[in-house]
Amino acid sequence: MQKAIFFGAIGTLVETSDLQRRAFNQSFIEMGLDWYWDTATYADLLTRSGGARRVADFAANLGEQVDADTVHARKVAIFDEMLRREGLRLREGVRDVIDTVHNRGLALGFVSSTSEEQIEAIFAALGNELDSAAFNFIADKSMVSRVKPDPEIYEIALDQLGIAKDEVIAIEDSPESAEAALRAGLMTYVTPGALHVRHDFPAEAVILSTLSTDILEQQRIAAE
């Protein structure tokens, strides 16, 4: 019997890819870089984890020298400004799954390897749609030495909640994150983000067009 659901990334809750892309492009302008990431370019870059790493890799491919951490830090600040200005809405099915998890007395985890500040900004932008208090455990990248696709962050979540790997369903949105959940031994469902739909996902992951409470019925989840 399952005891918990883990949402494994910001993208499982909200769609932020285009907002992130726009923030990168504004950062490039402010940093004096003659770069522009269109949707196709950014979708390709998303096959690699970590915003600063994407900037560094892109610069290396162009033979340019940039301070990737500074460029990324400015992008994060711009992204946060956009969140406050534009707000966010939950992806389809997320609210129903969370409500059902609570009604059944199951544990709810948010197992993201992004920064604590970014996670707080996301919840602030969601306003009344979702409060961070809905989660029994929230992970962020300060807790790990190895980011996804390494399973370390999932292993920490399991340990903190005292739950076995075969008692959890993970929901992910990208190939790297799905791989992390699978390597941790979790049943893994994927609702691909808008810019991940054409990416190759691990064969063991179950791909869903839309998240729904069907995943709970299929796994016969019940609280003990």
Side-chain angles (χ1 to χ4, degrees), residues 11 22 68 86 94 100 117 141 148 150 170 196 210-211 219:
R22 288 161 48 202
E86 301 181 25
V94 171
T100 301
E117 293 77 15
K141 74 175 183 180
K148 297 174 182 179
D150 191 278
H196 289 296
T210 303
L211 183 64
Q219 295 300 313

Side-chain angles (χ1 to χ4, degrees), residues 5-13 108-112 114 119 122-123 135-140 153 157:
I5 296 288
F6 288 171
F7 282 87
I10 285 173
T12 62
L13 299 177
L108 188 65
F110 184 45
V111 190
S112 171
T114 193
I119 292 171
I122 292 296
F123 283 116
F135 294 87
N136 300 92
F137 176 74
I138 297 178
D140 63 71
I153 200 158

Side-chain angles (χ1 to χ4, degrees), residues 47 49 53 113 146-152 154 175-184:
T47 60
S49 298
R53 177 185 171 190
S113 54
R146 303 178 303 278
V147 298
K148 297 174 182 179
D150 191 278
E152 181 184 11
Y154 272 111
E176 294 76 18
S177 294
E179 182 182 344
L182 289 166
R183 287 173 62 184

Side-chain angles (χ1 to χ4, degrees), residues 6 111 148-159 163-170 172 176-188 202 204:
F6 288 171
V111 190
K148 297 174 182 179
D150 191 278
E152 181 184 11
I153 200 158
Y154 272 111
E155 292 164 352
I156 289 172
L158 291 170
D159 181 65
I163 297 174
K165 61 185 179 181
D166 59 354
E167 297 173 327
V168 178
I169 286 176
E172 281 291 4
E176 294 76 18
S177 294
E179 182 182 344
L182 289 166
R183 287 173 62 184
L186 309 184
M187 177 65 196
T188 304
E204 301 92 337

Side-chain angles (χ1 to χ4, degrees), residues 10-12 14-25 37-39 42-43 46 54 75 79 82-83 88 91 122 173-174 192-197 199:
I10 285 173
T12 62
V14 293
E15 182 56 67
T16 66
S17 295
D18 193 61
L19 204 65
Q20 301 270 12
R21 182 186 68 84
R22 288 161 48 202
F24 270 114
N25 286 331
W37 289 353
D38 59 20
T39 301
Y42 190 54
L46 285 176
R54 293 184 198 113
K75 172 262 172 183
F79 178 67
M82 289 178 170
L83 287 178
L88 289 173
R91 291 184 66 182
I122 292 296
D173 72 324
S174 71
L195 298 187
H196 289 296
V197 291
H199 292 167

